[in-house]
Amino acid sequence: MDSALSDPHNGSAEAGGAANGTARPPSTPEGIALAYGSLLLMALLPIFFGALRSVRCARGKNASDMPETITSRDAARFPIIASCTLLGLYLFFKIFSQEYINLLLSMYFFVLGILALSHTISPFMNKFFPANFPNRQYQLLFTQGSGENKEEIINYEFDAKDLVCLGLSSIVGVWYLLRKVRSGALGAGARARVGTRLSPLLPPPQHWIANNLFGLAFSLNGVELLHLNNVSTGCILLGGLFIYDVFWVFGTNVMVTVAKSFEAPIKLVFPQDLLEKGLEADNFAMLGLGDIVIPGIFIALLLRFDISLKKNTHTYFYTSFAAYIFGLGLTIFIMHIFKHAQPALLYLVPACIGFPVLVALAKGEVTEMFSYEESNPKDPAAVTEGSKEGTETSASKGLEKKEK
């Protein structure tokens, strides 16, 4: 997981390249402000809309849109799994050719990005289809075994409108892939000439707009479809990743090396020299998707908790949303002062947990907050319990009618 906020125009960039004549001209204050402001806005959009869509997702019955519920056990293991994955990628890049690894990753994210973008734009595009559009239903079903031992592996339902969205998303995917192939040789040459002097995180060779479209789609889908089962699980997950982020950014060079080598839409980027070079700008500030999705699923949980209180207010959602803005703004400020990439979760985790808890203390709702529980819709026990409740409800209604 890439989870650091980087400021490529400062620090070793200027010091390392000055003597060799390869240093980039310093970015203007306007360009820096535009880049940071754009990164902040791009981070807020998938959190806000992903949280809203997570409410509908939790209530939905479509098997293809069922959320993946994270339990406390999953949350405790996640930082360990993420660390092993990060270290594995680091060793891969050290042992094998970077070009071949990135080629495989490019094809993987090409397919994954198209699917994520299609799912993201589908609700928006549905408003533009005419009423007489021939919207046929389809189902992709893979099973293993037979008879009573038959088990579903994939059960995905979609329609003709989804296919149209998939086609539009494929255009962005092809654009992303063509730009990557076109500039691949240039990217390799630049790395050979410059090494690591310019920046701890070199700009991605593919076009940054296509990269951000995929990154935003990944983030929104993550916030929408990944659900924490309770607030305690969220605190465990954020606390574990807080330690993970600080260790791998400050304690080693592993995360920086992987982020520098990993050419995939796992981060949002925005050029600080956009005003000077336009769309061909190449001096990027970046924000890892982990700094969006991880706090985002916690903020989405608090929105669903707000709704469960049935008070027609979204106090905890707006509080945590404001806390995220404060935490990310503080990250940018600290990074700009010290001229060094920062682990954003170092500032986001205390803000996103601390602010809502303080509000709950002030309102006397701490017990309600930490006792709120969401069941896993994929859990057979939960489904059975829900069906029992439905049967009991219908039976009670029948008795009432007979009494009348």
Side-chain angles (χ1 to χ4, degrees):
M1 178 195 300
D2 180 29
S3 185
L5 185 68
S6 175
D7 178 20
H9 82 287
N10 282 317
S12 61
E14 297 171 8
N20 299 282
T22 57
R24 302 181 185 185
S27 302
T28 62
E30 294 81 5
I32 295 173
L34 178 62
Y36 289 158
S38 299
L39 283 178
L40 179 60
L41 178 62
M42 286 192 292
L44 295 177
L45 289 176
I47 291 178
F48 185 84
F49 291 104
L52 294 178
R53 288 173 60 157
S54 76
V55 176
R56 184 190 64 185
C57 180
R59 296 172 176 172
K61 297 181 179 179
N62 190 344
S64 60
D65 291 332
M66 282 293 183
E68 186 70 32
T69 302
I70 301 174
T71 64
S72 57
R73 185 179 179 184
D74 299 328
R77 292 187 300 182
F78 191 81
I80 300 174
I81 296 173
S83 296
C84 293
T85 303
L86 184 67
L87 188 59
L89 286 171
Y90 175 80
L91 295 176
F92 261 88
F93 281 117
K94 287 292 184 181
I95 297 172
F96 300 103
S97 171
Q98 178 177 321
E99 284 72 19
Y100 293 121
I101 296 174
N102 278 317
L103 178 62
L104 293 175
L105 291 174
S106 296
M107 298 307 299
Y108 173 73
F109 280 100
F110 167 73
V111 176
L112 202 63
I114 289 175
L115 294 176
L117 189 59
S118 175
H119 182 267
T120 300
I121 67 174
S122 180
F124 175 76
M125 291 298 299
N126 285 340
K127 300 177 181 179
F128 294 93
F129 288 103
N132 58 351
F133 182 81
N135 192 30
R136 295 182 179 179
Q137 302 294 319
Y138 303 93
Q139 183 178 21
L140 183 63
L141 180 63
F142 283 94
T143 62
Q144 67 177 5
S146 60
E148 295 180 354
N149 297 323
K150 182 179 289 186
E151 182 182 354
E152 288 186 1
I153 300 176
I154 297 176
N155 185 1
Y156 188 79
E157 299 174 1
F158 58 98
D159 53 31
K161 294 179 180 179
D162 293 326
L163 293 177
V164 174
C165 294
L166 188 66
L168 294 175
S169 302
S170 299
I171 297 174
V172 178
V174 172
W175 175 36
Y176 169 84
L177 204 59
L178 289 177
R179 290 290 303 197
K180 188 174 180 65
V181 171
R182 177 184 172 187
S183 57
L186 178 61
R191 281 190 292 272
R193 290 194 305 271
V194 178
T196 59
R197 289 192 301 271
L198 287 182
S199 167
L201 294 168
L202 295 177
Q206 68 274 10
H207 201 282
W208 57 275
I209 296 180
N211 174 89
N212 287 347
L213 288 175
F214 277 166
L216 288 170
F218 288 142
S219 300
L220 191 144
N221 278 272
V223 176
E224 176 187 0
L225 299 175
L226 292 176
H227 288 197
L228 297 164
N229 65 344
N230 55 51
V231 174
S232 297
T233 299
C235 293
I236 294 172
L237 179 65
L238 267 66
L241 290 176
F242 172 89
I243 299 172
Y244 159 91
D245 209 18
V246 172
F247 173 76
W248 288 112
V249 173
F250 286 151
T252 71
N253 69 334
V254 172
M255 184 175 286
V256 171
T257 302
V258 171
K260 177 185 66 178
S261 307
F262 204 94
E263 295 176 359
I266 59 170
K267 51 186 175 286
L268 299 180
V269 298
F270 199 89
Q272 301 182 49
D273 52 350
L274 179 68
L275 300 178
E276 291 81 18
K277 296 185 178 180
L279 295 180
E280 297 303 320
D282 58 359
N283 186 16
F284 291 89
M286 59 81 66
L287 178 67
L289 298 190
D291 299 325
I292 302 172
V293 177
I294 298 303
I297 61 177
F298 186 74
I299 295 171
L301 172 67
L302 292 179
L303 173 61
R304 298 192 296 274
F305 169 63
D306 274 323
I307 294 174
S308 72
L309 294 176
K310 299 179 180 179
K311 294 182 178 180
N312 295 324
T313 60
H314 297 156
T315 305
Y316 294 102
F317 172 67
Y318 289 126
T319 300
S320 57
F321 195 73
Y324 182 86
I325 298 174
F326 170 79
L328 191 57
L330 181 61
T331 307
I332 294 172
F333 175 76
I334 297 295
M335 181 191 64
H336 191 67
I337 294 298
F338 291 98
K339 317 297 183 187
H340 190 278
Q342 296 293 313
L345 293 182
L346 173 64
Y347 310 96
L348 290 172
V349 169
C352 290
I353 293 178
F355 282 32
V357 170
L358 289 176
V359 171
L361 284 170
K363 298 181 67 174
E365 295 177 342
V366 176
T367 303
E368 289 86 344
M369 173 184 282
F370 282 90
S371 62
Y372 172 69
E373 186 85 20
E374 289 188 354
S375 61
N376 187 351
K378 296 181 180 180
D379 187 0
V383 174
T384 303
E385 185 179 346
S387 61
K388 286 182 179 178
E389 290 178 356
T391 304
E392 291 173 359
T393 303
S394 59
S396 63
K397 288 182 178 178
L399 289 173
E400 288 177 1
K401 288 181 180 179
K402 287 181 179 180
E403 290 176 358
K404 292 180 179 179

